[in-house]
Amino acid sequence: MEKHVPSEEMKKNLDNLLSKLNAMEILAKDEFQTNSVKVLRALVEGQIHSVNEFEHLKKAIDLLTLQLFEVQNKTRSSV
């Protein structure tokens, strides 16, 4: 089973893809190629957004977990 790629490496790879897409758009010879690049760019940008949102969710879960432990410790100490 493969290990998960760290989010920073994932974002770097996606950023590299965006750079390649920019070059492809410049070299596009017709409308079909240009539109294909635009679709691919939208997909890559959506993936970058998903990675960023997932990082925010992980932070929110960590904060919530810490607060749950604090409440649990306060409850135990008052009993």
Side-chain angles (χ1 to χ4, degrees):
M1 203 169 181
E2 291 183 32
K3 291 185 176 181
H4 290 284
V5 178
S7 62
E8 289 304 315
E9 185 178 339
M10 215 179 215
K11 285 193 279 188
K12 181 182 174 187
N13 291 339
L14 290 167
D15 191 49
N16 288 339
L17 281 174
L18 278 178
S19 296
K20 289 176 184 179
L21 287 170
N22 289 335
M24 286 173 65
E25 186 174 26
I26 292 169
L27 297 174
K29 297 184 190 300
D30 59 24
E31 189 177 339
F32 176 77
Q33 290 177 346
T34 302
N35 288 335
S36 296
V37 169
K38 288 179 182 179
V39 169
L40 291 171
R41 181 181 290 114
L43 292 172
V44 170
E45 288 173 347
Q47 192 69 23
I48 291 170
H49 178 73
S50 295
V51 170
N52 289 335
E53 286 300 312
F54 185 71
E55 287 178 344
H56 292 142
L57 286 172
K58 283 180 11 182
K59 288 177 185 176
I61 289 170
D62 287 345
L63 289 172
L64 182 61
T65 303
L66 283 173
Q67 289 190 345
L68 285 171
F69 282 132
E70 287 177 12
V71 168
Q72 186 179 25
N73 287 338
K74 286 180 183 178
T75 305
R76 285 185 181 168
S77 64
S78 65
V79 174

